[in-house]
Amino acid sequence: MRQNPSFVLESPDEIKRLVRENPWATLVADTENGIVASHYPIVLDETSDQLSILTHVGRPDEQLLELGTREILMIVQGPHGYISPGWYDAKPAVPTWNFVVAHLYAVPEILSDEENLRVLGDLVDFFEQHMPEPRRMNGTIENAAYASRISAGTVGLRFTPTRVVAKSKLSQNRPDETVDVIIRELEGDGPYAQPALAAEMRRVHDIRRAARD
């Protein structure tokens, strides 16, 4: 991913935040049989001081990705959207795309069956916590027994990146007044409205303005 000093995302806390708020990742492996990609939910290991991510794959994806034998790329994509040059001033301009993304590289650690079952429970709890009546994986004896059976069809992973390339391209190179226009357009009801992207831009630019002032 091409980097620009204006858009580099270096803060470990910000990358953790990106993972927490966008818990659906793409795993890419350059295997002996060519490039393979899979998509899975992820959750941060909140007990680790490092950036460490827990997930699982369904069998036989662990073989297709050749997990544990080579470096894997995990892509975590945040809010993104089209930015029209009509939202700038009257000077000549071209459109762009604003986005937040992290490319994380590691050789995944394969978890034991016991650890995998715990990770599956953590994943379910992470998503079910927002439901009015959460269905926990281990909520009942019957459910726990069922989960234990189906977990045999999955392989748990711990992904602790040894290399991180992250980018937050949110019009940081534009004047404040232009940024304000872009945010309003993204918050509106036009064809390229993206409220989540607008909220992320507002958050980042408020922090930058506070630091500058």
Side-chain angles (χ1 to χ4, degrees), residues 41 43-45 47 52-57 59 62 67-68 107-123 151-152 154-160:
V43 65
L44 275 176
D45 182 358
T47 67
S52 188
I53 297 169
L54 300 169
T55 186
H56 73 284
V57 300
R59 299 182 188 275
E62 86 285 5
L67 293 178
V107 177
E109 174 192 351
I110 308 297
L111 301 181
S112 68
D113 292 344
E114 182 180 350
E115 290 174 310
N116 179 39
L117 188 59
R118 179 180 59 79
V119 168
L120 290 172
D122 289 345
L123 279 164
S151 69
T154 67
V155 176
L157 305 175
R158 179 185 301 278
F159 196 93
T160 305

Side-chain angles (χ1 to χ4, degrees), residues 120-131:
L120 290 172
D122 289 345
L123 279 164
V124 172
D125 287 348
F126 179 80
F127 292 102
E128 281 291 316
Q129 65 180 323
H130 304 292
M131 299 300 291

Side-chain angles (χ1 to χ4, degrees), residues 2 5-6 12 22 26 43 54 57 59-60 73 86 113 115 120 133 159 163-164 170 172 202-203 207-208 213:
R2 183 178 66 87
S6 298
N22 302 276
T26 301
V43 65
L54 300 169
V57 300
R59 299 182 188 275
L73 165 63
D113 292 344
E115 290 174 310
L120 290 172
E133 296 182 10
F159 196 93
R163 182 161 57 103
V164 176
L170 299 172
Q172 294 96 322
R202 187 177 296 283
R203 186 187 71 86
I207 292 171
R208 293 179 74 239
D213 296 341

